[in-house]
Amino acid sequence: MTAQSFAPDSGRIKARFDALKKEGRSGLVTFITAGDPNYDTGLEILKGLPKAGADLIEIGMPFTDPMADGPAIQAAGLRALAGGQTLARTLDMVGEFRADNQDTPVILMGYYNPIYSYGVERFLKEARDAGVDGLIVVDLPPEEDAELCIPSAKAGVNFIRLTTPTTVGERLPVVLNEYTSGFVYYVSILGITGTKSATDAQINEAMSRLRAHTDLPIAVGFGIKTPDHAKAVADVADAAVVGSAIVDKIKENLDENGQATPGLVDAVLSYVSDLAQGVRG
C-alpha cells in the first residue's frame, strides 16, 4: 500500500494547525474522558471546550485497564463506565458535538482491546461518520499496529503516533513512517499521565530531535497542569496537551455521592479558558 492510496481525511487537523501557524501561536489540546462524570455533563463540557479556547479536543475512550493513565484518568474512566458509557455512546457524543461544531478537530484516545472487540472496520467507519478526525491508540507499538494503522489510512482517519524520551535512533523512522499522520504526540515523561513534568530543556531537546525526522506538527503532553506551564510548552511545541489537570477539575466538582454539582461545567470551562490564555501568551 502506498501513501497515494490513502483515503483523504477530514482536513480539520491540518486546517487547524495551518490556522494556528498563520496566527503565530501554538495550540491547546484538551483531554476529557467520554461520559465523565456522566453522559450529559460530559457532552455539555465537550460542547463548551471550543469557546473556552480548546483548539483541538482529545476524548478518552473509557477502558478498564488503561496502562498509560495515572490515577486521575483511571478514576474518570471508571466513573464513565459506571454511568453506562460504551464505545458506541462515545461515538454518539462525537456525533452530537459535530451537530454544532464542524471545525474543531476531535481525536479519540484509548486502547486497542475495545476497538478490536467492536470490530476495526465497523469502528473506523462509524468514527469517520460521527466526525472523528484522528485516533491515538496507546498500547499498540508501531511494529505491531498494521491491523489498525492501515485500515485507518484507508478510512481517512488520521493515525497519530506517540513518541517518548526513549524513542531515539533507528526507531524514530519506524514510529514516524508514512502511516503517522495528523500530528505527532510527544509524551514528555517516562511514566503515566498526571504525574511528574519534563523540564523545558528536556522538551527543547526532544523538539529538535523530532523535527529532524518529521514535518508534522508536534503536540506535547503529560504533566502539564498550569497556564504558565502550558505557555512554556507552547513556546517550543506546536501544541500543549492538558488532560489529567482538567479531569481533576471535574473530580473537584463532584458531590459526596460522586454526582456533578451545579457549578461543575462552568468550573471546568473556566479552567480551560485560563489554560488557553496561557498558551496564547
Side-chain angles (χ1 to χ4, degrees), residues 156-222:
V157 176
N158 286 285
F159 198 72
I160 298 158
R161 283 203 174 107
L162 302 169
T163 63
T164 73
T166 59
T167 310
V168 297
E170 296 179 353
R171 194 156 189 273
L172 258 179
V174 175
V175 176
L176 303 178
N177 65 19
E178 71 270 27
Y179 295 109
T180 300
S181 60
F183 61 89
V184 176
Y185 189 131
Y186 177 64
V187 177
S188 60
I189 61 169
L190 298 177
I192 55 177
T193 59
T195 54
K196 56 188 178 181
S197 301
T199 66
D200 293 349
Q202 289 171 327
I203 294 174
N204 273 315
E205 185 279 329
M207 291 303 98
S208 297
R209 173 163 41 86
L210 292 172
R211 290 193 197 286
H213 288 270
T214 183
D215 293 327
L216 290 171
I218 301 170
V220 176
F222 279 46

Side-chain angles (χ1 to χ4, degrees), residues 24-205:
R25 68 176 180 88
S26 295
L28 173 65
V29 183
T30 58
F31 172 96
I32 58 172
T33 297
D36 176 37
N38 57 62
Y39 185 92
D40 291 338
T41 305
L43 180 60
E44 190 175 353
I45 295 170
L46 175 61
K47 288 185 173 182
L49 287 173
K51 186 176 180 181
D55 295 300
L56 297 89
I57 298 173
E58 188 183 344
I59 301 176
M61 298 177 281
F63 181 48
T64 52
D65 301 281
M67 67 174 74
D69 293 312
I73 295 178
Q74 287 183 24
L78 292 177
R79 287 195 295 269
L81 291 170
Q85 191 70 19
T86 63
L87 191 49
R89 283 171 65 81
T90 298
L91 296 175
D92 288 344
M93 285 187 72
V94 178
E96 290 200 63
F97 173 79
R98 278 278 171 257
D100 299 323
N101 186 305
Q102 288 294 316
D103 301 321
T104 306
V106 170
I107 297 100
L108 294 184
M109 175 270 183
Y111 300 82
Y112 187 48
N113 189 296
I115 296 171
Y116 179 82
S117 298
Y118 199 79
V120 169
E121 301 294 339
R122 175 190 173 198
F123 168 75
L124 290 170
K125 180 184 184 305
E126 293 181 10
R128 177 65 188 257
D129 290 348
V132 172
D133 304 294
L135 186 63
I136 299 172
V137 179
V138 178
D139 57 347
L140 277 182
E143 294 86 352
E144 305 291 339
D145 66 8
E147 61 187 280
L148 185 57
C149 74
I150 293 175
S152 294
K154 288 181 177 178
V157 176
N158 286 285
F159 198 72
I160 298 158
R161 283 203 174 107
L162 302 169
T163 63
T164 73
T166 59
T167 310
V168 297
E170 296 179 353
R171 194 156 189 273
L172 258 179
V174 175
V175 176
L176 303 178
N177 65 19
E178 71 270 27
Y179 295 109
T180 300
S181 60
F183 61 89
V184 176
Y185 189 131
Y186 177 64
V187 177
S188 60
I189 61 169
L190 298 177
I192 55 177
T193 59
T195 54
K196 56 188 178 181
S197 301
T199 66
D200 293 349
Q202 289 171 327
I203 294 174
N204 273 315
E205 185 279 329

Side-chain angles (χ1 to χ4, degrees), residues 17-25:
F17 277 107
D18 286 348
L20 290 170
K21 189 174 182 179
K22 193 173 182 180
E23 292 178 35
R25 68 176 180 88

